[in-house]
Amino acid sequence: MTKKLAWFTALWLGVLPGVQAAADSDLRPVNATTDSLAPPAIDPAAPVRDDLRAFTQIAPPPGNFNLTGTRTEGQIEFGVRSDEVVTNALLNLSFRPSPSLIPGMSHLKVYLNDEMVGLVPVVAEQAGKNNQVQVPIDPRFIGDFNRIRFELVGHYANICENPASSAIWLDIGKDSTLDLSLQKLAVKDDLSHFPEPFFDARDNRPLTLPMIFASAPDLGQQRAAAVLASWFGTQADWRGQTFPVLYNQLPDRQHAIVFATNAQRPDFLKDLPPVDKPTLEIIDQPGNKYQKLLLVLGRDDNDLLKAVQGIAQGEMLLRGQAATIDSVKDLAVRQPYDAPNWVRTDRETTFSELQQFQGQLQADGMQPAPISLTLKLPPDLFLVRARGIDMDIKYRYTSPVQDDGSRLAVNLNNQFVQDYPLVNKREEGKQLLHIPLVQGLLDGGTQLTIPALQLGVVNQLRFDFDYASTFIGGSFNNGTNEGRCETITPVSNHVVIDGNSTVDFSGYRHYMEMPSLGAFANAGFPFSRNADLAQTLVLVNSRPPAGEVSALLNALGNISAQTGYPALKMQIADDWSKAKTTDADLLMIGRLPEQMKDDDKVNLLLDAAKSWINKPNRQTAFSSGASSPDDRRAESQTTISSGGPMAAVIGFQSPFDAQRSVVALLADSPRAWALLNGALIDSGKRAAIFGSASVIRESGVRSLRVGDTYWVGHLPWWERVWNALATHPVLLAAFATLVVILFALLVWRLMRRVSRHRLGDEDDE
C-alpha cells in the first residue's frame, strides 16, 4: 500500500472551474499547453481502450484531499504502460471550497511533473458547495511516471490573516476521476525490455497474464508454469496477480506466455522449428502485432523448467528476440525466514532495507506529510511474552522557531505510541532514541509502551512531525486598529528519518498455533517459511482442468508476492503416497485422497455438488479472536446437495508429521474454481479467510474455526508452561496458590528448625 500512496500524486492534471461557471471566459484555467503543439503520431488502426481511474483506487486512503492553510499541498502519481500512449485525458474533479475564502484571491494551482498546468480560481458561487468540473488535458505532457501536485492558495482576509486559520480549506472529493484513452503501440521483439510488456511496473492494476498449453499439462509443465507464475508474483507485489489458463487457444487482446516442447505444441506454433536447448523467444501473436507471446520452449519438460529458472535468476541477461539458457547453478542454500520482503529476524534491520521508493524517509512542508514504513513479519514469530522490540531511531528536522510544543509522534498500525519534542536546537546534529515496544509504565524517558501482541503479519510504522502553528499570527501595533500590520512569512520544514535507524526482531522464537488459514492467505505460511518453498510439496491431479491449473498458479504467485522470492525449490507430484515419504508441508489442489478424509482433521469436504460441514460450538466473528477448544468442538454436521458452485480452503495437521501442515484448495465445478481464484487474488476476500475452513460462494467468503489445533515450531518446555499459564488464568491462579502454599510450608519448616535449634542451645546452657 505504501507504493500505491507514492503513486497518488500524479493524477491531477489541469483543472477547470465549476460547471456553472464554465461559460465564463474569465474563469478558464491557465494551462501550460498551446494550440501550436502537434498531436503525437499514432497509428489510427491501433486498438484503443478507455481507463477510468477513480480516486478511491489511486488516492491515499480515504481517497480524497483536505487542503488547509498549513497543509496546502497534496499529490498523487500514476503511470502509463510502455506499450500504450495516452491519446485523450480528462480530469473529472469534485471539490468543495470553504465559504470563508475570498473570491479572486483564492485559487487552486495544479502541477504536472512540477510544471503548472492548471489554475482553478474560487468564485462566490462555488463557496461551500460541491462543484463538479471537467478538465481536458494535453496528453503530450503525460509521461511514463507522472506526479500531479495540488497547491491551495487561500485567503480569508485582506490583511493580518493567519494562514493556520481553520477558515482556510478546500476538499477534493473521492468521487473525482481521471478518464484516459490509451492506444496500443507496436512493441519491438526484444527481450532486453523483459518483463515488459508482460508485466509493466508503471501499471498499478492487478497483473493478468494468461498461460497457454497445448493441452492439459503434465507434472513437468505444471511445475515450470508455477515457478514462472511465482516469479511474476514477486514483480506484481502489492498489485495482485492472476494467471488464466488456456489450452490450445489464444487470449483475447492480452499478452501471454506459451509453454511448448518439441513434441507438444499449440496448433498456432506447429510451423515453429524445433529447439535443441531451453529457449525463450518473443513474437507477435498470429494476426495481431500489438499483442506479444513469450515462448518458453524446450526439448522436454526439463528444458522448460530450466528456461523459467533462467528467467527467475538471470532475467537481466536477456536480450534480442530469442535467448537460450545454457546453465543455471545454485551457489548458496537459502535459510528459513530469509524472505526478502520480511523483516530480518536473525539481526537488526535498517530502515533503508525497508525503504520501498526513493524519498520515502523524508518529507517537506509547513506541516510535513507523515513518513511511513511497512514491517512484514513471519506469522509464527512468538511474541506472547516478549519484553519488547528495540528500535534505534535517528532523525533530522528543521528547528521550530521556538520551543513551542512541536513534536514527533510515533504510530504503529494507526495506534498512537509515543511522542518526542522537537526542540529549538542551536546546532546541527542527530538525535538518537532507543525504543522498546513493551516497557510497563512510561517513565518520562524515550520508551514506548506497545504490546507486542498488536503486531501482525503486515504492520505500518508512521512518524508524524507536527509543528506548532503559533508562528504566523498577524497583529497591529499597540493592540489598536491603527498602525502597521506585522506578519511572518511561513517557511517549509524539512524532516528526515535516517536510513541507518534500525529495528531489531532477533532473538525471538518461532512457535505458532495451527491451522491458520489467515497466515496462508496473507503470508503464504507455512510454505513461505522457506522463501524458495524448499519444504513444500504440491499435490495435483494428472491432466487437470484449466481451473485447477489456474488455482495452482495463483496460489504460488500469491505466496511469492508475500515473500518477494520465486518458488524455485517447490516439489510437485500427482502421487498422493509421496506425501508419506517427503518431509514437507502439503499444498493440495483439486481433491482429497480417501485416506485423508478423516472426520477429526478435515472440517470441510467437497465432492461434486454434495458437501458436508462440521459447525463449531461457538464461532468468533473476527479472524484475530482467540477461541477455546470447547468453542472449536464440532456441534453438528450438516449435509446439503445443491447445484450452485462452492469452493473451499481447508487446513489441518499432516497425518504423516506432527510439525507439518496441509492446506487444500477445493472446488466442485468450473464456476467454483473461478470463485476460488477470485478469492485468492482479491485482498478483501483474502482478509476474510482465517481459521481452519473457509467456504467460498457467490455471496462471498465465510470462515470457521472448528476441530483440534496443534503447534508448529520450537519452544522450550519451561516457556510452554509459562505460555499455558499466561493463556489460562485459572491455571495461573492455581499455580500461584500452589507456589504460595509451598513457599509458606518451606518458610514454616525453616522457622521451626531455627526455633528448635535455639531451644536446643538454651537447654545446653
Side-chain angles (χ1 to χ4, degrees):
M1 293 299 295
T2 305
K3 292 182 181 178
K4 296 173 72 176
L5 300 183
W7 274 21
F8 184 71
T9 57
L11 253 162
W12 296 53
L13 292 175
V15 182
L16 289 176
V19 173
Q20 66 271 30
D24 189 344
S25 61
D26 292 336
L27 300 182
R28 288 192 174 276
V30 178
N31 292 320
T33 62
T34 63
D35 295 336
S36 62
L37 293 176
I42 301 173
D43 182 3
V48 178
R49 71 177 180 92
D50 293 326
D51 186 7
L52 185 64
R53 306 189 181 188
F55 275 29
T56 53
Q57 299 171 332
I58 58 179
N64 60 348
F65 282 118
N66 184 3
L67 306 180
T68 65
T70 55
R71 290 190 173 175
T72 60
E73 295 185 357
Q75 63 182 26
I76 56 174
E77 296 178 354
F78 72 98
V80 178
R81 292 178 56 92
S82 62
D83 59 347
E84 293 180 331
V85 62
V86 177
T87 59
N88 188 46
L90 184 67
L91 180 66
N92 302 302
L93 180 64
S94 172
F95 70 99
R96 185 190 298 268
S98 167
S100 300
L101 295 182
I102 300 177
M105 296 180 62
S106 304
H107 50 274
L108 180 69
K109 295 192 290 185
V110 184
Y111 294 86
L112 172 61
N113 300 328
D114 294 326
E115 291 284 342
M116 191 172 77
V117 296
L119 182 65
V120 184
V122 176
V123 298
E125 293 80 3
Q126 297 173 338
K129 299 178 181 178
N130 190 40
N131 302 276
Q132 307 288 335
V133 296
Q134 289 187 330
V135 182
I137 301 167
D138 193 323
R140 288 165 296 178
F141 288 94
I142 302 176
D144 292 339
F145 287 102
N146 306 278
R147 173 172 296 151
I148 301 177
R149 177 168 54 90
F150 290 87
E151 181 178 343
L152 171 63
V153 178
H155 295 280
Y156 68 94
N158 290 320
I159 56 175
C160 289
E161 66 177 358
N162 180 7
S165 171
S166 60
I168 302 177
W169 57 266
L170 185 144
D171 285 349
I172 298 174
K174 62 177 65 177
D175 54 339
S176 300
T177 60
L178 180 66
D179 192 358
L180 301 176
S181 294
L182 301 116
Q183 196 159 18
K184 276 288 184 180
L185 297 175
V187 179
K188 185 179 179 181
D189 293 334
D190 187 355
L191 290 172
S192 63
H193 300 289
F194 188 82
E196 299 174 7
F198 306 98
F199 167 77
D200 197 319
R202 306 167 185 86
D203 192 349
N204 64 345
R205 297 174 301 167
L207 171 65
T208 300
L209 183 60
M211 301 231 175
I212 304 172
F213 303 89
S215 59
D218 56 24
L219 286 180
Q221 293 179 16
Q222 289 187 63
R223 184 183 180 190
V227 170
L228 187 56
S230 70
W231 183 81
F232 274 106
T234 66
Q235 304 300 303
D237 199 5
W238 49 266
R239 298 170 182 82
Q241 61 286 313
T242 180
F243 303 97
V245 172
L246 301 173
Y247 293 162
N248 198 31
Q249 67 180 33
L250 291 169
D252 182 22
R253 296 186 299 177
Q254 287 180 304
H255 305 298
I257 311 290
V258 182
F259 293 88
T261 64
N262 289 341
Q264 290 181 302
R265 293 186 172 181
D267 292 341
F268 54 82
L269 295 181
K270 61 183 179 180
D271 296 329
L272 194 70
V275 297
D276 56 4
K277 286 184 177 181
T279 303
L280 301 170
E281 185 175 356
I282 183 172
I283 64 172
D284 293 337
Q285 288 190 19
N288 188 347
K289 66 178 181 179
Y290 297 102
Q291 304 296 341
K292 295 295 181 180
L293 294 176
L294 176 66
L295 307 183
V296 182
L297 307 173
R299 294 162 295 183
D300 52 25
D301 291 349
N302 291 330
D303 276 0
L304 297 184
L305 179 60
K306 188 174 181 179
V308 299
Q309 288 174 338
I311 293 177
Q313 297 179 284
E315 84 283 358
M316 291 184 293
L317 299 177
L318 297 178
R319 58 198 183 276
Q321 182 176 1
T324 59
I325 309 302
D326 298 323
S327 66
V328 179
K329 297 180 180 179
D330 294 329
L331 301 180
V333 178
R334 297 194 68 91
Q335 300 300 313
Y337 303 104
D338 67 350
N341 285 353
W342 288 358
V343 175
R344 296 296 297 260
T345 57
D346 58 342
R347 60 166 176 81
E348 292 181 341
T349 304
T350 64
F351 283 15
S352 59
E353 294 178 85
L354 304 174
Q355 187 173 347
Q356 296 173 301
F357 57 89
Q358 191 68 27
Q360 182 178 355
L361 297 178
Q362 60 187 16
D364 303 286
M366 286 188 291
Q367 289 291 343
I371 297 175
S372 298
L373 279 176
T374 300
L375 306 178
K376 292 185 178 181
L377 302 175
D380 64 341
L381 203 60
F382 191 73
L383 300 172
V384 172
R385 298 186 62 252
R387 288 288 300 168
I389 310 302
D390 291 336
M391 280 197 296
D392 290 330
I393 304 176
K394 306 175 184 179
Y395 58 91
R396 303 185 297 275
Y397 57 92
T398 303
S399 297
V401 176
Q402 55 186 356
D403 294 335
D404 52 9
S406 299
R407 63 178 186 172
L408 163 63
V410 182
N411 297 269
L412 180 68
N413 295 334
N414 292 323
Q415 295 189 7
F416 174 75
V417 178
Q418 178 65 297
D419 65 344
Y420 304 100
L422 301 180
V423 298
N424 180 23
K425 34 185 203 208
R426 299 304 179 186
E427 58 183 17
E428 295 183 359
K430 298 179 181 179
Q431 185 166 349
L432 301 180
L433 297 177
H434 181 71
I435 308 178
L437 286 182
V438 177
Q439 183 64 38
L441 300 175
L442 290 175
D443 60 2
T446 58
Q447 295 180 330
L448 302 184
T449 167
I450 302 178
L453 287 175
Q454 292 182 358
L455 293 170
V457 174
V458 181
N459 306 275
Q460 293 295 328
L461 184 64
R462 191 179 78 243
F463 302 92
D464 292 307
F465 287 84
D466 297 321
Y467 281 84
S469 56
T470 59
F471 51 86
I472 303 180
S475 63
F476 286 103
N477 288 341
N478 302 323
T480 66
N481 291 332
E482 298 179 359
R484 185 163 57 97
C485 178
E486 296 179 352
T487 61
I488 299 175
T489 302
V491 295
S492 180
N493 295 306
H494 307 277
V495 296
V496 177
I497 298 292
D498 196 290
N500 292 323
S501 301
T502 61
V503 59
D504 189 1
F505 282 91
S506 62
Y508 293 99
R509 304 185 190 276
H510 295 273
Y511 192 63
M512 182 179 181
E513 187 178 20
M514 297 287 280
S516 176
L517 293 182
F520 165 73
N522 298 296
F525 192 82
F527 313 107
S528 56
R529 181 189 292 111
N530 292 78
D532 56 3
L533 271 63
Q535 297 182 8
T536 294
L537 174 63
V538 181
L539 298 173
V540 298
N541 295 319
S542 59
R543 305 295 178 181
E548 289 188 22
V549 181
S550 183
L552 166 67
L553 304 184
N554 290 341
L556 271 293
N558 183 56
I559 294 173
S560 293
Q562 309 302 325
T563 63
Y565 195 83
L568 294 172
K569 301 299 182 181
M570 173 266 300
Q571 304 175 64
I572 192 169
D574 59 1
D575 182 5
W576 302 100
S577 63
K578 187 177 180 180
K580 299 180 181 179
T581 59
T582 303
D583 181 19
D585 295 295
L586 307 180
L587 176 61
M588 297 184 175
I589 298 177
R591 63 179 174 84
L592 290 174
E594 291 296 328
Q595 59 266 34
M596 287 192 177
K597 294 182 178 179
D598 187 339
D599 293 1
D600 296 330
K601 295 184 177 180
V602 182
N603 306 303
L604 177 66
L605 298 176
L606 300 176
D607 183 11
K610 185 176 181 180
S611 58
W612 61 264
I613 184 171
N614 284 342
K615 193 69 180 292
N617 187 46
R618 176 180 293 182
Q619 176 62 24
T620 304
F622 303 101
S623 61
S624 59
S627 59
S628 66
D630 183 65
D631 292 340
R632 295 189 298 267
R633 177 176 51 83
E635 175 193 31
S636 62
Q637 183 182 105
T638 303
T639 303
I640 298 177
S641 298
S642 173
M646 185 173 175
V649 182
I650 63 174
F652 53 94
Q653 188 177 26
S654 172
F656 314 121
D657 190 330
Q659 282 290 303
R660 295 298 182 182
S661 303
V662 180
V663 175
L665 309 181
L666 311 173
D668 61 5
S669 65
R671 175 55 186 163
W673 282 115
L675 292 175
L676 177 60
N677 288 324
L680 290 178
I681 65 174
D682 188 304
S683 59
K685 292 181 179 178
R686 284 205 312 269
I689 297 176
F690 64 89
S692 55
S694 295
V695 181
I696 305 168
R697 298 173 294 172
E698 296 283 3
S699 58
V701 179
R702 176 72 184 276
S703 296
L704 300 170
R705 282 193 182 89
V706 61
D708 296 333
T709 63
Y710 57 99
W711 292 82
V712 297
H714 172 70
L715 201 65
W717 67 267
W718 60 88
E719 292 191 27
R720 289 200 297 269
V721 170
W722 279 114
N723 179 53
L725 294 176
T727 54
H728 296 81
V730 175
L731 289 179
L732 180 61
F735 181 77
T737 302
L738 179 61
V739 169
V740 170
I741 293 174
L742 291 176
F743 182 76
L745 289 174
L746 179 63
V747 172
W748 177 75
R749 289 183 62 87
L750 179 63
M751 296 300 295
R752 188 175 180 183
R753 290 188 60 182
V754 171
S755 177
R756 287 179 176 178
H757 185 267
R758 292 179 60 188
L759 292 175
D761 291 343
E762 292 177 358
D763 293 340
D764 292 339
E765 293 177 358

